[in-house]
Amino acid sequence: MIRALRLAAPPVLAFVALNLVWEAATWAFEVPLYLLPPPSRIAAALFEHAGTLLRATAVTCRAAVAGFAFSALLGVAAGVLIASARWIERAVYPFTVFLQTVPLVAIAPLLVVWLGFGTRPVAVAAFIVSVFPVIVNTVTGMRSTDPALLDLFRLYRASSGARLFKLRLPSALPSIFAGLRVAAGLAVIGAVVGEFVASYAGDDAGIGMLALTYSRESHTDRLFAVVGLASSLGLALFGAVSLASHLTLRRWHASEQDR
Amino acid sequence: MRTRTLIAMLALAAAAVNTAAQAPAKVRLQLNWLPEPEFGGIYAAKLGGAFARHGLDVEILKGGPDVPAVQMAAAGRVEFAVAAADEVVSLRDKGADVVAIFATYQTSPQGIMVKAAGEAKDIPDLLARGGTLIAQPGLAYLKHLRREFGLEKMKIVPYGSGALAQFLDPARSDVAMQCFVFAEPLAARRQGVEPRVFLVADTGFNPYTAVVVTRGSSFRADPGPARRIAAALREGWREYLDDPGPANREMARLNTAMDLATFAEAAKAQAPLIESEDTRRAGLGTMTEARWKELIGQLAALEVIRAPIPARDCFANP
Amino acid sequence: MAGGNASDRGHGVAVSLRDVDRVFDGGVAALDGVSFEVAPSEFVAVLGPSGCGKSTLLRLIAGLDRPQGGAVERTPAAGQIACVFQDAHLLPWRRVLANVALPLELAGVPLAERERRARAAVERVGLADAADRYPAQLSGGMRMRVSLARALVTRPELLLLDEPFAALDELTRHRLDEDLHALWRRDRMTVVFVTHSVSEAAFLGRRAVVLTRRPARVASTVTLDLPAEREGTLRSDPAFFAAVRDLRARLEDAEASP
């Protein structure tokens, strides 16, 4: 208990100090509300509009989690496929890189044309942004199998299915989880950016659309509150994946031990 | 110092000051949309020389759906910007010091357009029947409509670059779209879809629109530039109302989404919204405190602002 | 398996290498004309300078690699092979028992039987208490024992070891040498044991094959004239010292030769 407190103290104290300085500065320099609201106003906005904000967070969360789930499943599958043969890698890899580099704001209107508004295009946006690290890390993990273990499996005449599921995939798990951790945060970002263009406005609005609305209305305090919620959502998803990683790997992988 | 050198320096300085006074003042005017007939008078003032005659070198900056024009003026990034009156009130409430100096539209041209084949009779009827509404999130009149008639039956989607295409899509019969009454409807008709337009002002929400604003502190310190630009705009709009041709050609060049014929139609259709009894009496662009007070009251009731603010802080007729 | 003398079960595979060449990409020749025989159930130590290609040799014998020239033959060809490498190479995500059972699992042996045989193997290497632990929780010596148990669980007819105890401390190493030899005496599979420790080669092998530097050839083979029971006490026996001296001299010759 004491140890947990001691670990949490530095970042918490830093956060509190930052907020105090911020509050004092906006007061001292008489910064107008629409330019930079003080933390007290942001907190007030958070409470005043808790219903709307939480509803929007739930909307974005649904899309982000859906996009992330697709990234996890399709990303790992694609990674396994790419790692299985050099010619497949040469054929497919350039397209995955393409997915990574095309700016989402350019594709998003197309997603609306193909899929309409609402959760579907936003989930696809989240998928597009988050799948690449999963693929790359899966490929790396699949390629780093201990060659001596591969020899051993060959010696015992293991089928390629046995080799994949009993050796290569478990061996790749630490790398895959590393990719999933990155993908979690990216999925939230992708969902929020996708919502700029593809979310409903009004009652079904997600975080991204609320941010846009508050920005246009110059409700900067609510804007900051929404941004804070977006970060929290990203953190929560990241935390969930980290927990899954810890539970799966803790008994055997160096990265999860020593905690 | 030698007397002669001193006199020479003073003469140079005087000449410099004189030249400065004679050189036109460089200012930037940020539009809040793409060049369209709502800015006709502005372009006419530039092309016809009205700005130059009043000692102004105006750089007109194009806008779009997401350009924060009025915030830019509030922050001093530009000297003048175009906004709607409700934006002015909302921002003033949040500590942004902007002042309106010229109101293009005496009647708000904000409207909602539907397909002619639809059955809705007016806006309340439309909202009761439900459907999809393409609109910029954060529009003040949406709040007004929600309060007066309720928006639960409408699915609101954002007004992005593909908005008109969504409206024109023959597969969608229940789609409505935010518009300026003389802009998007004409574009739709050109594309072969006959629209019907409902004026938002008819539901009781009628802010001055396409209002030119400037930073309050600069205006109070030196009302000169504001006075000059307002005078130039009056001339420019008079020119545009008489002959929109030259300005339309320039705007059509800058905004390829609308063709010249549509520009001409729109210029004609918008004239009644620009002139009114007030403008015939006091000149184009003039504003009254009563109208501002009414708007402020509405916005307070809609909780866009926390409490009414003084109307005369919001505008001036320089 | 039916009766017969404990000492002549003849359980093992015979290995024959004739003129084996192995060249890697880039023209690096690891083996150049290596020839020697291993009789069934024989315990042969392969000795040579570091990097001379001993590991390559072992992989050729296991069938994991093919020679460019010459022939590697195992008789019978389908005999069960097991390998033990310098690192234990266990599956870190499985417990000890599941690791040991792996070869049986890959061969399709049903769960109950493979668990039984795996437990037996684990007991033979003295790790019955650790059967439920993960490799990360074991010491280096214990991990090596697990690797050994895994190798033994299939009752191999050919056991290939590549400097398995090199990373361990001397005492553990001695213990494991003795345990290995005891296991061999009981099961009588053919064993090829690669090492660069002269005393280990002398302690374990009945015969020793000494290789030259790379590209490796057989420098000499010698039959070690030592008692069949290799207990710890052997290490203080003068006959042992003589054998070690002899081997060391042969190794130095082999290292020096071009």
Side-chain angles (χ1 to χ4, degrees):
Chain A
M1 182 62 192
I2 308 284
R3 184 163 173 266
L5 282 176
R6 208 181 307 146
L7 280 175
V12 168
L13 286 176
F15 182 69
V16 170
L18 170 66
N19 276 295
L20 287 174
V21 169
W22 181 352
E23 184 88 29
T26 40
W27 184 83
F29 293 105
E30 293 180 344
V31 181
L33 211 62
Y34 79 99
L35 221 47
L36 184 67
S40 53
R41 263 237 56 83
I42 299 175
L46 197 55
F47 283 111
E48 274 169 42
H49 301 274
T52 312
L53 294 175
L54 289 176
R55 207 172 21 239
T57 308
V59 170
T60 309
C61 183
R62 262 201 297 277
V65 168
F68 173 75
F70 274 115
S71 283
L73 287 165
L74 295 176
V76 171
V80 169
L81 190 65
I82 290 177
S84 65
R86 281 279 166 182
W87 69 268
I88 298 183
E89 175 190 348
R90 272 196 292 270
V92 172
Y93 227 18
F95 295 103
T96 59
V97 176
F98 178 75
L99 262 183
Q100 170 78 344
T101 53
V102 173
L104 187 61
V105 280
I107 315 183
L110 268 181
L111 291 180
V112 171
V113 172
W114 293 333
L115 302 166
F117 289 95
T119 308
R120 221 179 301 162
V122 177
V124 171
F127 164 78
I128 290 176
V129 169
S130 62
V131 74
F132 190 67
V134 179
I135 296 180
V136 170
N137 277 43
T138 304
V139 171
T140 306
M142 294 290 288
R143 290 239 186 89
S144 337
T145 320
D146 185 352
L149 283 172
L150 284 170
D151 275 344
L152 209 70
F153 268 64
R154 241 175 88 201
L155 205 61
Y156 294 124
R157 294 184 209 126
S159 65
S160 47
R163 200 175 60 217
L164 177 63
F165 289 105
K166 295 188 206 265
L167 175 60
R168 297 175 73 207
L169 268 178
S171 168
L173 269 182
S175 190
I176 293 177
F177 267 116
L180 289 176
R181 270 201 290 270
V182 173
L186 289 177
V188 172
I189 293 177
V192 172
V193 173
E195 281 175 343
F196 286 165
V197 170
S199 162
Y200 287 120
D203 288 330
D204 302 331
I207 290 182
M209 184 50 65
L210 274 193
L212 213 57
T213 307
Y214 294 149
S215 168
R216 181 165 295 119
E217 294 171 342
S218 295
H219 279 301
T220 316
D221 50 353
R222 292 184 217 177
L223 176 64
F224 272 68
V226 149
V227 167
L229 280 177
S231 299
S232 306
L233 183 63
L235 221 69
L237 198 54
F238 178 87
V241 176
S242 291
L243 182 66
S245 170
H246 177 68
L247 290 175
T248 313
L249 301 180
R250 73 185 146 167
R251 264 181 296 204
W252 56 275
H253 198 255
S255 70
E256 292 290 347
Q257 297 178 329
D258 226 6
R259 274 161 177 261
Chain B
M1 208 188 281
R2 306 271 165 74
T3 327
R4 241 180 297 171
T5 325
L6 182 59
I7 291 175
M9 285 177 65
L10 283 172
L12 266 171
V17 169
N18 251 338
T19 327
Q22 276 151 22
K26 282 177 94 63
V27 294
R28 286 159 302 178
L29 172 54
Q30 172 70 56
L31 307 180
N32 64 351
W33 203 261
L34 292 166
E36 279 183 3
E38 71 206 71
F39 309 119
I42 297 175
Y43 281 94
K46 178 155 187 158
L47 292 170
F51 284 142
R53 281 195 295 280
H54 289 272
L56 293 167
D57 176 10
V58 179
E59 185 190 348
I60 305 174
L61 302 167
K62 281 199 302 187
D66 284 315
V67 172
V70 63
Q71 286 93 332
M72 285 164 71
R77 300 249 164 277
V78 292
E79 286 73 31
F80 300 96
V82 179
D86 51 88
E87 285 180 278
V88 173
V89 174
S90 174
L91 260 172
R92 283 202 65 83
D93 182 58
K94 296 184 187 63
D97 186 13
V98 284
V99 173
I101 56 171
F102 186 96
T104 305
Y105 291 111
Q106 301 291 313
T107 306
S108 170
Q110 291 277 22
I112 297 182
M113 79 170 173
V114 296
K115 294 189 172 154
E119 291 165 6
K121 299 193 296 297
D122 53 25
I123 288 184
D125 190 23
L126 170 69
L127 296 180
R129 285 167 188 269
T132 308
L133 173 63
I134 307 171
Q136 285 175 286
L139 274 184
Y141 76 70
L142 284 181
K143 290 202 169 66
H144 167 75
L145 294 179
R146 172 177 282 128
R147 189 160 182 264
E148 296 292 309
F149 311 114
L151 286 178
E152 312 81 38
K153 293 244 183 65
M154 304 297 291
K155 274 230 170 300
I156 306 177
V157 298
Y159 189 126
S161 47
L164 192 62
Q166 282 163 36
F167 178 79
L168 296 172
D169 183 357
R172 326 259 309 258
S173 58
D174 62 349
V175 60
M177 183 167 152
Q178 161 197 344
C179 66
F180 264 17
V181 293
F182 46 75
E184 286 90 336
L186 294 181
R189 184 173 296 131
R190 296 254 150 214
Q191 300 275 7
V193 174
E194 188 61 33
R196 201 134 50 82
V197 186
F198 305 120
L199 205 55
V200 169
D202 289 341
T203 67
F205 191 75
N206 186 16
Y208 288 119
T209 313
V211 174
V212 176
V213 304
T214 185
R215 203 177 193 194
S217 52
S218 327
F219 175 67
R220 286 185 294 274
D222 176 14
R227 192 169 294 143
R228 287 174 5 226
I229 207 175
L233 286 172
R234 278 194 282 275
E235 287 178 33
W237 274 106
R238 178 52 50 206
E239 275 183 50
Y240 186 77
L241 287 167
D242 289 341
D243 177 19
N248 279 351
R249 273 191 291 280
E250 174 66 3
M251 289 192 289
R253 188 181 66 81
L254 294 168
N255 178 8
T256 51
M258 267 174 84
D259 62 28
L260 210 46
T262 316
F263 266 98
E265 261 192 80
K268 218 169 16 167
Q270 73 177 4
L273 300 168
I274 296 175
E275 295 213 79
S276 71
E277 276 186 39
D278 287 341
T279 64
R280 280 185 274 278
R281 182 173 41 85
L284 291 171
T286 191
M287 298 173 274
T288 68
E289 192 176 335
R291 286 278 296 273
W292 281 96
K293 259 216 175 88
E294 181 189 29
L295 176 65
I296 290 169
Q298 284 177 316
L299 292 176
L302 292 174
E303 291 172 15
V304 171
I305 58 176
R306 285 168 296 175
I309 61 176
R312 51 181 54 178
D313 290 347
C314 299
F315 77 104
N317 289 312
Chain C
M1 241 188 277
N5 235 327
S7 63
D8 83 76
R9 281 213 201 126
H11 182 72
V13 158
V15 178
S16 154
L17 287 94
R18 278 191 294 274
D19 258 331
V20 170
D21 299 322
R22 181 67 175 98
V23 183
F24 289 111
D25 294 335
V28 177
L31 305 172
D32 182 21
V34 171
S35 300
F36 65 89
E37 314 269 325
V38 182
S41 301
E42 200 179 10
F43 198 126
V44 169
V46 174
L47 203 56
S50 310
C52 72
K54 307 192 289 290
S55 306
T56 312
L57 184 65
L58 223 52
R59 294 189 78 230
L60 285 169
I61 298 177
L64 291 171
D65 204 356
R66 284 241 186 83
Q68 265 76 23
V72 178
E73 259 178 44
R74 295 186 300 276
T75 320
Q80 183 73 269
I81 309 177
C83 287
V84 179
F85 302 108
Q86 189 169 341
D87 291 314
H89 292 298
L90 305 175
L91 299 181
W93 53 86
R94 287 184 174 209
R95 297 177 201 269
V96 164
L97 200 67
N99 262 293
V100 172
L102 179 67
L104 301 175
E105 186 184 336
L106 293 176
V109 173
L111 178 64
E113 188 190 335
R114 67 172 189 254
E115 225 175 78
R116 183 181 51 81
R117 284 168 69 175
R119 270 198 203 282
V122 162
E123 274 175 37
R124 286 184 72 193
V125 299
L127 284 180
D129 291 334
D132 279 326
R133 294 204 217 153
Y134 284 91
Q137 299 161 303
L138 304 175
S139 68
M142 292 166 83
R143 276 197 283 250
M144 195 42 76
R145 287 177 195 268
V146 175
S147 183
L148 204 51
R150 176 177 66 191
L152 294 173
V153 80
T154 55
R155 306 213 167 232
E157 288 149 316
L158 176 60
L159 183 60
L160 304 172
L161 302 110
D162 187 358
E163 306 195 55
F165 311 139
L168 304 172
D169 62 274
E170 198 177 1
L171 233 58
T172 314
R173 200 169 175 171
H174 286 330
R175 285 253 323 270
L176 288 173
D177 285 339
E178 288 160 34
D179 291 345
L180 176 63
H181 204 262
L183 288 166
W184 171 72
R185 281 204 310 276
R186 225 195 75 165
D187 288 355
R188 291 289 166 176
M189 70 288 259
T190 308
V191 179
V192 179
F193 190 103
V194 166
T195 177
H196 68 248
S197 159
V198 174
S199 63
E200 195 173 40
F203 184 83
L204 290 172
R206 185 179 165 286
R207 262 194 323 136
V209 172
V210 182
L211 301 175
T212 64
R213 272 186 295 118
R214 201 199 293 148
R217 284 175 296 107
V218 173
S220 60
T221 53
V222 55
T223 306
L224 294 157
D225 191 13
L226 294 168
E229 313 274 311
R230 305 285 173 95
E231 309 283 334
T233 48
L234 181 63
R235 295 191 200 272
S236 348
D237 193 321
F240 183 70
F241 294 144
V244 169
R245 260 197 315 266
D246 178 42
L247 272 182
R248 187 168 295 131
R250 290 170 184 269
L251 186 59
E252 277 163 16
D253 282 342
E255 260 179 38
S257 60

